[in-house]
Amino acid sequence: MEIKKSTYYTVFVSLLLLSFLLIGLFKNTTAISMVYYPDYPSETQLLLRRIKGHRTTQRLSNPCPDTSNTTRCKPNGNVVFIKTYKTGSTTLRNILNRYGLANNLSFILNSAQPVGHVFKSLKSFPISRLLPPIGVRDGDYRHYKYNMSNVHMRPSLEDLHNLMNPNSVYITILRHPVDQWLSYFQYFHKDDAMRNFFGGNDTNLDPVRTFLNLPAKFMKFKSNARNYQFRDLLEVDTQREDVDYVRERIDKFAELFDLVLLTEYFDESLVLLKRLLGWSFDDVLYLKMREQPQRLRADDEARKQLLEHNRADNMLYSYFYEVLQANIAAYGPSFQDDLNYFRDHLNRTLSECVGASKVVDVAGDHQNIRYDIRQQSSPFCKKFVSYGSSGDVFRRQSNQSGNTGR
């Protein structure tokens, strides 16, 4: 009889321990619902799996539970957009500009730069060089409180918080690491540098492959040309790609941002942004800005090498892809209906407002695709098909003329 009791006790304890183990495994596997490994090398997959052992603290607040009736909601025009390079961020900035112009909002703007970019850290940027908010006297720094920030800068969060209204929403946008790297490489003419320095008379030289095969004496240049998005978000060491460091930074990003948009899921991201801010569908309509007529390409093998070269960006993007999917799931069953409506509305607007396309030369020795506005278009179309909204924001705030900001 004693043997039986001992056996039952052993079996009971074993089953109890097994149940705890299964519960722990279930929690770990459901912490993030979707896994996204777009042709990542196996080593990177292992690193990503180690990072994904925790739940993001990113939240998607919902000021408008009934998305069909936004008139009951109070829209939030206080937005901090940490602008990243070559991610579609100028298109997103244009959306924010249009809303800010329509609602008489004040932007953080460098008074000495034509479209307001700060570029450097606010910590080392004199407040006297900022345009004052609308309705605030120049030099009355105690009242320098802004509705929006959407310029390139090196984020210094404490200084940024002090300049923004207290209920500001923080957002940013990320792009697939390879496509972002290729666009950055091309935009800043690094592909031309490869051709000119190594190509000689060889017009068929592959600048991406040449970069990846750079000899040892160019290692400093090569190691600096990576993880651009990781660098843009906060002051980070782009040379460090160990999992613990990257995970720590991703935790900080997840705590900071109310929403991280993704270029490849731009429409989905804007539906989430509309709900987050309590805006209308009209407010988040967009026309692509800075669209390049010819994109730099890379073959499959080069793309794999670039993913490994931008390992921290790989982990960052993969993490927030899953967060985006979680936010879509949390939105509820109406998400697909709202997305379909938004896309139909966007296509109708493009058909009504947008005319022929053309390739134009723009500042910095670049070429962009731009669109003409259709003749006899509505006043909305004239604002929608505009490539000068950043200049409009700058000029309006420079010529405050006694306006009162919100």
Side-chain angles (χ1 to χ4, degrees):
M1 189 70 177
E2 290 298 317
I3 295 175
K4 280 188 175 182
K5 284 184 178 179
S6 175
T7 302
Y8 290 150
Y9 178 79
T10 302
V11 171
F12 173 77
V13 171
S14 299
L15 289 172
L16 188 62
L17 290 172
L18 180 61
S19 66
F20 284 137
L21 177 63
L22 289 173
I23 290 171
L25 287 172
F26 178 76
K27 284 183 178 178
N28 285 336
T29 55
T30 57
I32 296 179
S33 59
M34 297 188 68
V35 180
Y36 180 60
Y37 301 129
D39 61 359
Y40 285 144
S42 57
E43 183 183 356
T44 303
Q45 290 190 25
L46 294 174
L47 291 173
L48 290 171
R49 290 188 185 113
R50 286 178 59 191
I51 276 186
K52 293 187 178 75
H54 66 301
R55 181 182 294 275
T56 176
T57 56
Q58 188 180 11
R59 61 270 176 210
L60 180 63
S61 59
N62 183 8
C64 295
D66 180 6
T67 57
S68 65
N69 183 10
T70 57
T71 58
R72 297 189 298 106
C73 306
K74 185 176 181 181
N76 186 358
N78 299 307
V79 181
V80 176
F81 170 36
I82 305 298
K83 197 172 188 297
T84 47
Y85 282 96
K86 309 316 299 174
T87 56
S89 64
T90 301
T91 299
L92 183 53
R93 186 189 188 195
N94 195 53
I95 293 172
L96 299 175
N97 286 342
R98 196 173 68 234
Y99 187 90
L101 286 167
N103 292 278
N104 205 37
L105 304 182
S106 298
F107 291 72
I108 288 181
L109 296 168
N110 176 0
S111 62
Q113 213 276 337
V115 291
H117 290 306
V118 174
F119 292 119
K120 60 173 65 175
S121 170
L122 282 175
K123 193 177 293 294
S124 59
F125 191 85
I127 192 171
S128 60
R129 291 178 58 187
L130 293 178
L131 285 180
I134 294 173
V136 176
R137 181 175 52 83
D138 190 7
D140 186 8
Y141 303 130
R142 189 165 60 91
H143 293 103
Y144 273 32
K145 291 291 183 182
Y146 296 89
N147 304 106
M148 287 196 177
S149 173
N150 64 0
V151 295
H152 281 300
M153 70 170 68
R154 305 292 296 132
S156 171
L157 292 182
E158 183 178 354
D159 298 280
L160 192 54
H161 291 331
N162 290 337
L163 287 169
M164 297 301 299
N165 283 337
N167 63 332
S168 296
V169 168
Y170 283 71
I171 64 173
T172 192
I173 185 169
L174 300 174
R175 186 178 181 182
H176 187 282
V178 172
D179 296 318
Q180 190 273 343
W181 188 94
L182 289 170
S183 184
Y184 188 102
F185 199 71
Q186 181 181 23
Y187 184 80
F188 289 100
H189 304 297
K190 297 180 186 294
D191 56 334
D192 292 333
M194 291 293 106
R195 293 187 185 97
N196 295 336
F197 193 83
F198 295 101
N201 296 322
D202 183 5
T203 57
N204 295 318
L205 180 131
D206 183 340
V208 176
R209 179 67 62 190
T210 301
F211 171 84
L212 291 170
N213 295 329
L214 283 175
K217 66 179 180 178
F218 294 100
M219 279 304 102
K220 184 175 182 180
F221 167 74
K222 187 175 180 180
S223 64
N224 286 333
R226 63 178 178 176
N227 297 325
Y228 295 125
Q229 297 174 94
F230 195 59
R231 178 204 62 194
D232 283 343
L233 295 188
L234 285 176
E235 298 288 348
V236 296
D237 183 354
T238 57
Q239 304 306 308
R240 288 190 61 181
E241 297 181 307
D242 52 284
V243 173
D244 290 339
Y245 179 74
V246 175
R247 174 171 177 166
E248 176 191 347
R249 305 314 296 180
I250 289 177
D251 277 339
K252 290 185 181 298
F253 299 151
E255 291 171 4
L256 171 65
F257 291 113
D258 296 282
L259 181 66
V260 175
L261 296 83
L262 298 183
T263 310
E264 290 76 15
Y265 301 88
F266 197 60
D267 292 353
E268 291 88 342
S269 297
L270 290 178
V271 171
L272 295 174
L273 182 66
K274 168 195 170 291
R275 171 176 281 197
L276 175 66
L277 298 176
W279 290 6
S280 71
F281 282 113
D282 280 351
D283 294 328
V284 294
L285 292 171
Y286 67 93
L287 183 67
K288 286 184 181 180
M289 304 280 119
R290 298 280 180 89
E291 190 177 0
Q292 296 177 341
Q294 291 184 322
R295 293 183 181 181
L296 185 63
R297 306 289 181 183
D299 59 40
D300 290 345
E301 182 57 34
R303 289 183 70 87
K304 289 180 181 179
Q305 289 180 255
L306 287 172
L307 280 168
E308 188 61 29
H309 184 65
N310 293 279
R311 183 182 298 189
D313 273 6
N314 290 351
M315 293 185 254
L316 180 70
Y317 181 89
S318 179
Y319 182 86
F320 282 107
Y321 169 86
E322 296 183 5
V323 172
L324 183 79
Q325 297 303 320
N327 280 334
I328 290 172
Y331 190 103
S334 65
F335 179 82
Q336 193 59 49
D337 290 339
D338 286 353
L339 178 62
N340 291 340
Y341 174 83
F342 174 59
R343 284 177 168 162
D344 288 344
H345 186 33
L346 176 61
N347 288 332
R348 287 194 302 271
T349 303
L350 292 171
S351 297
E352 292 169 7
C353 298
V354 177
S357 65
K358 57 188 176 185
V359 176
V360 299
D361 295 326
V362 296
D365 194 23
H366 303 297
Q367 287 190 325
N368 287 167
I369 298 174
R370 289 194 174 178
Y371 298 89
D372 294 327
I373 185 172
R374 284 191 180 277
Q375 293 184 350
Q376 299 179 337
S377 292
S378 66
F380 173 82
C381 286
K382 293 176 181 177
K383 295 177 182 177
F384 179 71
V385 188
S386 170
Y387 295 90
S389 66
S390 294
D392 293 339
V393 166
F394 186 91
R395 285 186 292 274
R396 183 213 52 173
Q397 197 159 319
S398 297
N399 305 320
Q400 296 177 50
S401 64
N403 290 333
T404 301
R406 292 188 177 186

